[in-house]
Short mmCIF file of all heavy atoms in Angstrom, two decimals:
data_model
loop_
_atom_site.label_atom_id
_atom_site.label_comp_id
_atom_site.label_asym_id
_atom_site.label_seq_id
_atom_site.Cartn_x
_atom_site.Cartn_y
_atom_site.Cartn_z
N MET A 26 0.84 -1.19 -0.02
CA MET A 26 0.02 0.01 -0.02
C MET A 26 0.90 1.23 0.01
O MET A 26 1.84 1.31 0.77
CB MET A 26 -0.88 -0.01 1.27
CG MET A 26 -1.67 1.24 1.52
SD MET A 26 -2.61 1.18 3.05
CE MET A 26 -3.61 -0.27 2.84
N THR A 27 0.58 2.18 -0.89
CA THR A 27 1.33 3.42 -0.97
C THR A 27 0.48 4.54 -0.41
O THR A 27 -0.69 4.65 -0.75
CB THR A 27 1.71 3.72 -2.40
OG1 THR A 27 2.55 2.63 -2.87
CG2 THR A 27 2.54 4.99 -2.49
N LEU A 30 1.49 11.39 2.41
CA LEU A 30 1.17 12.01 3.71
C LEU A 30 1.56 13.49 3.70
O LEU A 30 2.16 13.98 2.78
CB LEU A 30 2.04 11.29 4.80
CG LEU A 30 2.07 9.81 4.86
CD1 LEU A 30 3.14 9.34 5.81
CD2 LEU A 30 0.68 9.28 5.24
N VAL A 38 3.26 8.36 11.46
CA VAL A 38 2.69 7.15 10.86
C VAL A 38 3.62 5.95 11.08
O VAL A 38 3.14 4.86 11.45
CB VAL A 38 2.36 7.38 9.36
CG1 VAL A 38 1.98 6.07 8.67
CG2 VAL A 38 1.24 8.39 9.23
N GLU A 43 4.46 0.73 13.07
CA GLU A 43 5.51 -0.25 13.54
C GLU A 43 5.42 -0.57 15.01
O GLU A 43 5.74 -1.70 15.40
CB GLU A 43 6.87 0.29 13.19
CG GLU A 43 7.14 0.32 11.66
CD GLU A 43 8.51 0.83 11.26
OE1 GLU A 43 9.33 1.26 12.16
OE2 GLU A 43 8.76 0.87 10.06
N ASP A 46 2.22 -3.51 17.42
CA ASP A 46 2.52 -4.94 17.36
C ASP A 46 2.94 -5.38 15.99
O ASP A 46 2.49 -6.36 15.43
CB ASP A 46 1.31 -5.71 17.82
CG ASP A 46 1.65 -7.17 18.20
OD1 ASP A 46 2.81 -7.40 18.50
OD2 ASP A 46 0.75 -8.02 18.15
N VAL A 51 7.02 0.76 7.40
CA VAL A 51 6.91 1.96 6.62
C VAL A 51 8.24 2.33 6.01
O VAL A 51 9.22 2.44 6.73
CB VAL A 51 6.39 3.13 7.48
CG1 VAL A 51 6.29 4.39 6.66
CG2 VAL A 51 5.02 2.78 8.10
N ASP A 55 9.63 8.56 -1.34
CA ASP A 55 9.90 9.90 -1.88
C ASP A 55 9.74 10.92 -0.76
O ASP A 55 8.57 11.27 -0.41
CB ASP A 55 8.98 10.23 -3.03
CG ASP A 55 9.29 11.54 -3.71
OD1 ASP A 55 10.07 12.36 -3.14
OD2 ASP A 55 8.77 11.73 -4.79
N VAL A 57 10.33 14.08 -0.63
CA VAL A 57 9.87 15.38 -1.06
C VAL A 57 8.36 15.43 -1.12
O VAL A 57 7.73 16.37 -0.64
CB VAL A 57 10.48 15.79 -2.42
CG1 VAL A 57 9.90 17.07 -2.95
CG2 VAL A 57 12.02 15.89 -2.30
N SER A 58 7.75 14.41 -1.76
CA SER A 58 6.30 14.37 -1.83
C SER A 58 5.67 13.61 -0.67
O SER A 58 4.44 13.48 -0.60
CB SER A 58 5.85 13.72 -3.14
OG SER A 58 6.22 12.34 -3.19
N GLU A 70 -4.52 -6.98 7.31
CA GLU A 70 -4.97 -6.00 6.37
C GLU A 70 -6.19 -5.23 6.89
O GLU A 70 -6.31 -4.01 6.79
CB GLU A 70 -5.30 -6.61 5.03
CG GLU A 70 -5.71 -5.55 4.03
CD GLU A 70 -5.84 -6.14 2.65
OE1 GLU A 70 -5.91 -7.34 2.47
OE2 GLU A 70 -5.88 -5.32 1.66
N GLY A 78 -7.87 4.57 7.62
CA GLY A 78 -9.10 5.37 7.64
C GLY A 78 -9.11 6.43 8.77
O GLY A 78 -9.51 7.58 8.50
N PHE A 80 -6.38 7.71 10.09
CA PHE A 80 -5.39 8.70 9.67
C PHE A 80 -5.96 9.69 8.66
O PHE A 80 -5.72 10.89 8.67
CB PHE A 80 -4.13 8.04 9.05
CG PHE A 80 -3.23 7.36 10.02
CD1 PHE A 80 -2.60 6.15 9.63
CD2 PHE A 80 -2.97 7.85 11.27
CE1 PHE A 80 -1.73 5.56 10.51
CE2 PHE A 80 -2.09 7.25 12.14
CZ PHE A 80 -1.46 6.09 11.77
N ALA A 81 -6.78 9.16 7.71
CA ALA A 81 -7.37 10.01 6.70
C ALA A 81 -8.30 11.00 7.33
O ALA A 81 -8.35 12.18 6.97
CB ALA A 81 -8.05 9.17 5.65
N ILE A 86 -3.20 11.55 6.07
CA ILE A 86 -3.10 10.95 4.73
C ILE A 86 -3.76 11.83 3.71
O ILE A 86 -4.94 12.14 3.80
CB ILE A 86 -3.64 9.54 4.68
CG1 ILE A 86 -2.86 8.64 5.66
CG2 ILE A 86 -3.61 8.99 3.25
CD1 ILE A 86 -3.38 7.27 5.79
N GLU A 89 -4.26 7.58 -0.87
CA GLU A 89 -3.90 6.13 -0.62
C GLU A 89 -4.06 5.46 -1.97
O GLU A 89 -4.97 5.62 -2.69
CB GLU A 89 -4.92 5.56 0.37
CG GLU A 89 -4.80 4.05 0.52
CD GLU A 89 -5.93 3.47 1.35
OE1 GLU A 89 -6.71 4.19 1.93
OE2 GLU A 89 -5.99 2.23 1.35
N ARG A 90 -3.04 4.57 -2.24
CA ARG A 90 -3.03 3.71 -3.39
C ARG A 90 -2.68 2.33 -2.99
O ARG A 90 -1.78 2.14 -2.19
CB ARG A 90 -2.09 4.23 -4.47
CG ARG A 90 -2.50 5.53 -5.09
CD ARG A 90 -1.49 5.91 -6.15
NE ARG A 90 -0.21 6.27 -5.57
CZ ARG A 90 0.18 7.51 -5.29
NH1 ARG A 90 -0.59 8.51 -5.54
NH2 ARG A 90 1.36 7.69 -4.77
N ASP A 91 -3.34 1.32 -3.57
CA ASP A 91 -2.89 -0.06 -3.31
C ASP A 91 -1.67 -0.31 -4.15
O ASP A 91 -1.40 0.40 -5.07
CB ASP A 91 -4.01 -1.04 -3.68
CG ASP A 91 -5.13 -1.00 -2.66
OD1 ASP A 91 -4.85 -0.86 -1.47
OD2 ASP A 91 -6.30 -1.08 -3.04
#
Side-chain angles (χ1 to χ4, degrees):
M26 171 184 303
T27 300
L30 312 170
V38 170
E43 292 180 0
D46 197 24
V51 178
D55 186 346
V57 174
S58 66
E70 184 174 14
F80 286 144
I86 296 175
E89 172 190 351
R90 291 182 292 264
D91 287 322

